[in-house]
Amino acid sequence: MRDGKITYLDKKGRRPKKGWKTVNGRKYYFKADGTAISRGKSRSETAKTVIGGVMYEFDLYGVCKGKYTGWYEAKKGKRYYSDGKYLTGTQEIDGKTYTFDKNGYLTDKAK
């Protein structure tokens, strides 16, 4: 870790290129600057990032925890993700009915 960012150097001292990399059996996603996506302050926090149209969760150490399922508050509104993809149309979540627009944003309150 350098300056609060997760970094990795291969045997030749090079940073990885942008993309997925498995290190010691753990999956990471490295940005163009060679640092891994990670979340910063506590072990319980996760970073949620969309890669290739799929939302993934990353822990404090940059390890990918998998495709995200749950509510996500975006700048444009609230979305619900299931297995990394946002939902559209009318959906039942935890016994309540919600409606989402074509871009996955919640359009009304639960019924």
Side-chain angles (χ1 to χ4, degrees):
M1 187 178 289
R2 181 179 273 175
D3 297 326
K5 295 181 180 181
I6 307 295
T7 58
Y8 170 79
L9 300 176
D10 66 15
K11 292 177 183 178
K12 294 182 179 182
R14 296 177 299 201
R15 289 184 180 201
K17 294 181 181 177
K18 181 179 177 180
W20 292 102
K21 183 161 185 66
T22 301
V23 179
N24 297 325
R26 295 185 174 121
K27 197 170 182 178
Y28 299 84
Y29 188 86
F30 289 91
K31 299 180 279 186
D33 68 357
T35 61
I37 293 173
S38 65
R39 182 62 170 193
K41 297 182 182 172
S42 76
R43 292 179 188 221
S44 63
E45 289 183 60
T46 60
K48 294 165 187 71
T49 302
V50 176
I51 301 166
V54 177
M55 183 173 282
Y56 294 91
E57 277 188 283
F58 296 86
D59 72 10
L60 175 67
Y61 304 103
V63 177
C64 181
K65 300 177 72 61
K67 295 176 183 175
Y68 180 66
T69 294
W71 288 102
Y72 183 78
E73 187 73 41
K75 288 181 182 179
K76 293 182 180 180
K78 212 170 187 182
R79 285 179 159 172
Y80 189 86
Y81 284 82
S82 179
D83 199 30
K85 297 281 190 172
Y86 61 78
L87 300 181
T88 60
T90 301
Q91 304 287 336
E92 187 173 322
I93 302 166
D94 297 327
K96 295 180 181 176
T97 302
Y98 298 89
T99 303
F100 300 89
D101 68 17
K102 67 180 182 176
N103 297 310
Y105 294 103
L106 183 65
T107 60
D108 63 2
K109 296 187 179 193
K111 296 179 183 172

